[in-house]
Amino acid sequence: MAKKTSVDLSLAEQGILEDYRAPVLPIQMKYLMTCDILAGPLKSSVLRQPLIYATDSLARARLMFGDGKKGGETTARVIASIYSQMCSFYGPAYLYPIIEALGQRLSTSVPNTPPPLPFDETGDAPDLGVPVQFWVSLEYIHTAAKSFDRELWAENRPGSGRVWEILVNTGGHASMTGSKKCRMQFFAELESRGEHAIYKALQTLSEHIRWILVAGGESMTATGGRSFFSGGVSGPYSIPSGSSLEAPNSPAVKALTWCLRAQFVNIQAALTQQSLSAFWSALSMRLYDIFVPRLLQHYSITQVGAVILSRDVEALRSVSMLAGTNHQHWDNLRELVTLYMTPPMALKSMLIGPEGDANSSKGLFKRVGRYQSLVFMSRRSDYRVKTGQGPRKSAWVVELLEELGVTDPTDGHINIGLFAAERKP
């Protein structure tokens, strides 16, 4: 490294400035991990200052080496060198470390204790591990990158006196090619690092969603009363007949949807419409893939609990559809939840349609899938009854399966992967 520095200094002393490369000195990560990023490195005056110095350097170079064809290749090389060094500073030394720090500051770890449900909705919603400063910082970085391109490159802006116009006027084709490559690398790397930070935010939100739905949801019944489950967890929807249904949603889902709607406002302001759609669609699938496997593996649903479950599914679907287009998994779940509210005698027509044809599009077997429908149905609280020999299938279950000519998939291992949000029926 020392040898390379001496060569660069030697070139600079000789006046060969177009071949000089200033060292890259990134902002210290230790500082970025503890500082107020918005009031420090992303402060508007701090973001503008390097661009002011850079545009001043471009103007000085034009005066020193000439403009247009007069300056020729010499001016083109100097301008390209200034632009290259600004890309190295504004990217590797400045914006890149900030984006990396934003991702590292997020923690996917959640508290060991359940969340204190219900949340007090008179105050600010919990940030689910991703503070508003994260999204505001991304917005500032995006704005700074656009300003960088507008103030220095300024493509197709006659009279701007910026890099693109100078290189076009001087006819420096090699310098133009190199500068275009440098520009593309700057934005490609910035986008890649931004995607990594956003993915970390998605992971953090997912873990906090799980914390609220599982740890929080299972510490309470769906109607809001405290529940102390033992080894035989029945879940929040195992509500006995005659219980009050005044609460529109279970405490966990009510709290979660409130938090997600608050997060959406911040995310919407920070991301482009295309990025927002992709991010929220991914979050919708994560939410579904947390909720459904827990339901199928651990919960028992009574007819009363099914009412709250139906409302919860509607609430989760509603918040998931704030952005994005791929939400069919929630539509399928809405239909499957009706299996818990239907009397046993009416289940056959729901599964294969009123005509009794298993291939009928009116039945859940055709629309959602036979395997999926039967596994969902098995979570009914009346699917099995306690006997002296242990739990046994209810008489109506044995009769229904025989009439349908199918076996019970829950007699063996359940493949939860078949219930993933991305899997099409």
Side-chain angles (χ1 to χ4, degrees):
M1 181 63 71
K3 184 177 181 180
K4 183 179 187 298
T5 302
S6 64
V7 171
D8 287 345
L9 290 175
S10 176
L11 290 172
E13 290 168 358
Q14 295 174 37
I16 309 178
L17 299 179
E18 65 269 27
D19 293 326
Y20 173 70
R21 292 292 179 269
V24 176
L25 302 173
I27 305 176
Q28 290 186 355
M29 189 60 62
K30 183 178 180 181
Y31 163 73
L32 291 174
M33 292 298 290
T34 57
C35 75
D36 183 343
I37 289 181
L38 291 175
L42 287 184
K43 190 176 181 180
S44 58
S45 58
V46 178
L47 287 167
R48 285 197 305 269
Q49 201 62 47
L51 302 183
I52 294 173
Y53 290 143
T55 53
D56 182 62
S57 296
L58 293 177
R60 290 174 181 272
R62 292 171 64 195
L63 289 174
M64 291 174 62
F65 298 98
D67 199 2
K69 298 297 182 182
K70 180 182 178 181
E73 190 62 33
T74 299
T75 300
R77 287 200 303 270
V78 172
I79 295 299
S81 178
I82 293 173
Y83 182 67
S84 173
Q85 292 184 44
M86 270 304 296
C87 286
S88 296
F89 167 75
Y90 221 64
Y94 190 19
L95 296 184
Y96 296 175
I98 295 176
I99 295 179
E100 185 177 349
L102 287 174
Q104 290 187 16
R105 287 169 72 153
L106 299 179
S107 175
T108 57
S109 299
V110 298
N112 294 324
T113 56
L117 301 180
F119 290 153
D120 179 8
E121 297 190 14
T122 60
D124 294 333
D127 58 25
L128 301 180
V130 184
V132 62
Q133 289 81 2
F134 173 86
W135 301 110
V136 174
S137 297
L138 284 186
E139 183 183 4
Y140 277 27
I141 290 171
H142 180 67
T143 301
K146 290 196 296 185
S147 297
F148 176 80
D149 202 46
R150 182 178 61 251
E151 295 299 326
L152 288 188
W153 185 253
E155 188 166 341
N156 291 321
R157 281 176 53 196
S160 65
R162 299 298 192 259
V163 174
W164 183 83
E165 183 184 40
I166 297 172
L167 294 181
V168 169
N169 291 340
T170 57
H173 299 296
S175 297
M176 174 66 86
T177 300
S179 295
K180 284 183 175 180
K181 181 180 179 181
C182 187
R183 176 172 177 256
M184 289 179 63
Q185 289 175 339
F186 170 82
F187 282 102
E189 183 65 20
L190 187 68
E191 182 179 4
S192 175
R193 289 173 180 264
E195 288 176 350
H196 278 88
I198 292 172
Y199 180 71
K200 182 66 176 295
L202 179 62
Q203 288 181 304
T204 303
L205 289 174
S206 299
E207 290 306 314
H208 283 75
I209 287 172
R210 188 187 306 278
W211 176 58
I212 292 178
L213 283 182
V214 178
E218 292 176 9
S219 68
M220 308 186 76
T221 66
T223 53
R226 284 288 166 188
S227 177
F228 301 95
F229 295 130
S230 59
V233 174
S234 295
Y237 303 108
S238 183
I239 306 173
S241 178
S243 299
S244 172
L245 293 175
E246 292 181 2
N249 297 109
S250 66
V253 169
K254 186 174 185 292
L256 179 60
T257 53
W258 177 52
C259 294
L260 287 176
R261 288 184 183 277
Q263 273 287 339
F264 180 79
V265 174
N266 303 328
I267 299 171
Q268 187 179 37
L271 303 184
T272 63
Q273 191 61 40
Q274 182 178 2
S275 297
L276 173 65
S277 177
F279 181 87
W280 207 254
S281 293
L283 188 66
S284 168
M285 291 184 178
R286 293 284 187 102
L287 174 57
Y288 181 92
D289 288 340
I290 292 170
F291 184 72
V292 169
R294 196 70 188 175
L295 176 72
L296 296 178
Q297 292 178 305
H298 299 281
Y299 297 164
S300 175
I301 298 95
T302 63
Q303 283 193 314
V304 176
V307 176
I308 299 294
L309 173 60
S310 178
R311 295 173 183 173
D312 282 355
V313 170
E314 286 297 329
L316 295 174
R317 176 179 177 272
S318 176
V319 77
S320 295
M321 295 185 70
L322 290 173
T325 56
N326 188 11
H327 303 295
Q328 185 184 352
H329 42 283
W330 290 109
D331 295 331
N332 293 337
L333 183 58
R334 290 170 78 192
E335 291 195 73
L336 288 165
V337 166
T338 59
L339 289 169
Y340 305 123
M341 295 182 281
T342 305
M345 64 183 68
L347 286 172
K348 181 178 178 181
S349 62
M350 283 194 63
L351 294 171
I352 61 176
E355 296 87 359
D357 181 5
N359 294 317
S360 171
S361 60
K362 297 179 181 179
L364 289 175
F365 277 9
K366 184 66 174 180
R367 297 199 306 272
V368 181
R370 185 179 70 180
Y371 185 87
Q372 288 81 352
S373 300
L374 292 173
V375 172
F376 265 90
M377 186 178 69
S378 72
R379 303 315 302 178
R380 289 175 61 112
S381 62
D382 60 352
Y383 193 83
R384 287 179 172 81
V385 294
K386 293 181 179 179
T387 68
Q389 291 75 38
R392 297 290 180 88
K393 292 186 183 71
S394 298
W396 68 263
V397 175
V398 176
E399 183 181 345
L400 177 61
L401 294 176
E402 289 178 353
E403 290 180 7
L404 295 173
V406 297
T407 57
D408 185 353
T410 63
D411 286 341
H413 172 72
I414 299 175
N415 185 357
I416 290 297
L418 296 176
F419 299 88
E422 289 185 319
R423 187 175 180 86
K424 304 299 181 184

